[in-house]
Amino acid sequence: ENNHTLSVVGSGYGVVQNSKAFEFIDLMTSGTLGAEQTPIIETAGILDDGARLYVTAKMPNKFFIDGDDENGIDDYILFTNTHDGSGAIMALFTPIRVICENTLNAAIRGAVNKVAFKHTKNVGDRLEFTKEENMKFIMGILNRHKIFKEEFVQQLTHLNSQKGITDADVMRFATYVMSGQNAKENLRLLNSNNGNILGIDEISTRTKNQIISLRDTIESGEGQSQFRGTKLWLYNGLTSYMGNTRSYKSAEDKMDSILLGGDANKKVQIGYDYLMAA
């Protein structure tokens, strides 16, 4: 309503109003699906003067890892729409560990954690759903969510079963995750220097500080008393670092990075792949 220009887009860009993009959210949260499958809208907001909008809906049931996680993991579906060419209309499945509010996103083989419609020229036609078509779309989202949730719990349970993590393992993990394209070389330097990261001149001070900060979060960050000594402990420490310890320029940058594929999400994925492969 302020007549601000949000962005300049090409002729192939399809505009979708928020009211149309999120019609199915009202249906999804109406109770039609029954209490066991009905999410509850928890937060909503606009970013960048209305260029982006998001809605988070909390699923009714937490899930637990081997019965040991007393607080459980909350289960959310995040809906987004954009008007500046920066993204798609999307539903993203995002588990959040309650004890420290760290988002546990990871790309899991065989389990896609998002559904998206690109803003193509004919996207409006694709979203002209009847109530029945909206319900079919919702069931598709929930079916994918179920697969993702089952795979996610299975993988986290596997990581929790991998015990015996040492101080040296923590340092190697932190070094690998925070070193970017230099990960293998920095691991070699770390091993050749008996695990003393501070004594390696070839690694920049900035990278060293990030490695040490991640190590400290793994060792004593919020929520890190659980699963201690397991690979899941390492993974939780990484997500806690990205969600709670690391500094961001703004809340919008933090959301983008953690949830929508930014640097934090990439590092979490690197750490997840490292732990699953080892």
Side-chain angles (χ1 to χ4, degrees), residues 173 177 238 266-276:
F173 176 72
V177 170
L238 173 58
K266 291 177 183 177
K267 282 185 167 55
V268 168
Q269 189 64 49
I270 288 170
Y272 179 84
D273 292 340
Y274 174 91
L275 294 173
M276 293 303 297

Side-chain angles (χ1 to χ4, degrees), residues 47-113:
L47 306 171
D48 299 335
D49 277 340
R52 295 179 293 162
L53 179 143
Y54 68 90
V55 178
T56 62
K58 185 177 179 180
M59 298 301 290
N61 298 310
K62 296 180 182 180
F63 55 91
F64 302 86
I65 308 302
D66 286 350
D68 293 331
D69 193 348
E70 294 179 0
N71 293 276
I73 297 174
D74 273 336
D75 194 12
Y76 287 84
I77 298 179
L78 168 71
F79 304 95
T80 68
N81 186 27
T82 66
H83 301 289
D84 59 357
S86 65
I89 305 158
M90 184 168 65
L92 174 74
F93 317 136
T94 174
I96 296 179
R97 191 160 172 257
V98 179
I99 194 168
C100 50
E101 297 185 354
N102 52 320
T103 303
L104 304 176
N105 282 339
I108 298 175
R109 185 178 302 172
V112 179
N113 76 324

Side-chain angles (χ1 to χ4, degrees), residues 14-34:
V15 176
V16 177
Q17 298 299 328
N18 292 329
S19 58
K20 174 57 65 177
F22 294 112
E23 273 183 358
F24 67 92
I25 295 180
D26 290 334
L27 184 59
M28 193 174 194
T29 58
S30 67
T32 304
L33 301 173

